[in-house]
Amino acid sequence: MTVTQNVNTLCYEPGLCINCEMCIIVCPHAVFAPDGKVVRVANGESCMECGACQVNCPVAAIKVDSGVGCAYALMWSAIRGGGPAVCGPGEGSCC
Amino acid sequence: MENGVSGQGRTNIKSISNRLTLADRFGHFLARLGYKRMGHRVEPGLYSLGKPDSDSPVFVTANYTLSFDALRSALTMDCYILALDTKGVNVWCAAGKGTFGTEEIVNRVESTNLGQIVGVRKLILPQLGAPGVAAHMVKKLCRFKVEYGPVYAADIPEYMKERKATPEMRRVRFTLWDRITLVPLELVHVIIPTLAVACLLYILAGPLAASSAIVASFAGAVVFPILLPWIPGHDFSVKGLILGGVAAVPFAVISLSGAGGTTGYGSLGRALCYLAGMPPVTAFLALNFTGSTTFTSPSQVKMEILNYIPAMAWMFGVALVMAAALSMASYF
């Protein structure tokens, strides 16, 4: 059964997991943990949606809407009419 | 400088040291201040540290001096460093943007002839590069195996002993010192608008009002990052409103005491202006600090923008209207 969270967009499909544990390796907040034959979500509410697990999952068992966490960037994108939020060269305080 | 001669062509391998000079450290200081923000770069390409041979490990990093120098100063073995072109942005943010990414790694491996220089086709990446890099795709595209090292370069010597990161090495932190190092940049961002508003308020309403602008903004840009984990509340906006509220109390008390030159309803009105006007300024800056932390998700930031920005705008608007009404009343 798909594992989802209330406070973020992390979505994990244990049925697809091949137990390579890449998600455990790349997650900086220990969201995933080993659990026998497949990985389990141990700490889902700590997910910051960086997207590392999704990108490194070779079987696409993890989905998360990753993106910029800068409030300025998100507000600007909202003001400009919902385009993608970008921070980067010349603007933003996050990097 | 030394030149690695390889089968197909010469690769320019720049030799570097793991010692940071005073000039390096001064450069870091300027970067922390945000001076020439995008200009703290090293040239992308292959570097050698010590006397690496074909069996030596290859570490990958960004071409931002703070990232590059954190890596090289932590390395104690002969090795190669592959600096990607991340446009002078740190590893984690660049990974989020995709410039520290699969494509750039594959291209850089090819353009530096890395396959001919090292025998072991392995790249050690910082863990925080992972949001931009699909390890299985790198393997497929250039037959180099990606190995994610620890989050912090300082843990690399320990990591290299068994090529294994402990769970602790895999966790990102946000220590008091981390937060303090962010303060100068936060301050640089707000200082000019703050002083401009303070000057305006000084002319319109006097020294107390002028200092309230400075205090509200200082609370958001300096005190908030430092005290972050200890301010009550979960949401950054709530924490900011609380901190701004505390900062406004002395101004309200001074106004009520009549020191502002008014008494009765006038002083009560001024007190309310500070209590309504200062917290949203602090809270807005607090909300904008989310992007600098190591743990807030875009979902949380969106939720906070939706839930709290209208309230902040209302509070600030009420304060402005009240202040305008008070100053007009004072003319009669």
Side-chain angles (χ1 to χ4, degrees), chain B residues 127-170:
Chain B
Q127 187 189 324
L128 295 185
V133 180
H136 54 284
M137 289 307 291
V138 173
K139 174 87 182 167
K140 198 173 150 189
L141 293 169
C142 68
R143 292 179 296 113
F144 264 83
K145 186 183 188 304
V146 165
E147 186 179 306
Y148 288 110
V151 167
Y152 295 96
D155 287 329
I156 289 176
E158 191 60 32
Y159 171 83
M160 291 305 280
K161 285 181 188 162
E162 292 184 34
R163 296 294 268 261
K164 224 175 141 55
T166 62
E168 209 39 52
M169 288 182 202
R170 295 247 169 259

Side-chain angles (χ1 to χ4, degrees), chain B residues 306-329:
Chain B
L306 226 62
N307 288 356
Y308 298 108
I309 290 284
M312 290 180 205
W314 270 106
M315 283 176 79
F316 194 69
V318 165
L320 278 185
V321 170
M322 261 198 310
L326 279 169
S327 61
M328 274 196 280

Side-chain angles (χ1 to χ4, degrees), chain A residues 13-31:
Chain A
E13 202 72 59
L16 296 173
C17 178
I18 55 166
N19 215 21
C20 70
E21 301 200 343
M22 276 307 271
C23 51
I24 298 177
I25 290 172
V26 297
C27 179
H29 291 291
V31 166

Side-chain angles (χ1 to χ4, degrees), chain B residues 198-267:
Chain B
C199 288
L200 193 70
L201 283 175
Y202 188 87
I203 297 162
L204 291 174
L208 192 65
S211 37
S212 79
I214 294 168
V215 168
S217 147
F218 189 81
V222 179
V223 184
F224 182 84
I226 293 172
L227 297 185
L228 177 63
W230 303 298
I231 304 170
H234 171 268
D235 296 345
F236 280 52
S237 311
V238 171
K239 286 171 179 273
L241 285 171
I242 291 172
L243 184 65
V246 171
V249 166
F251 289 89
V253 170
I254 294 169
S255 299
L256 284 173
S257 73
T262 47
T263 50
Y265 286 120
S267 55

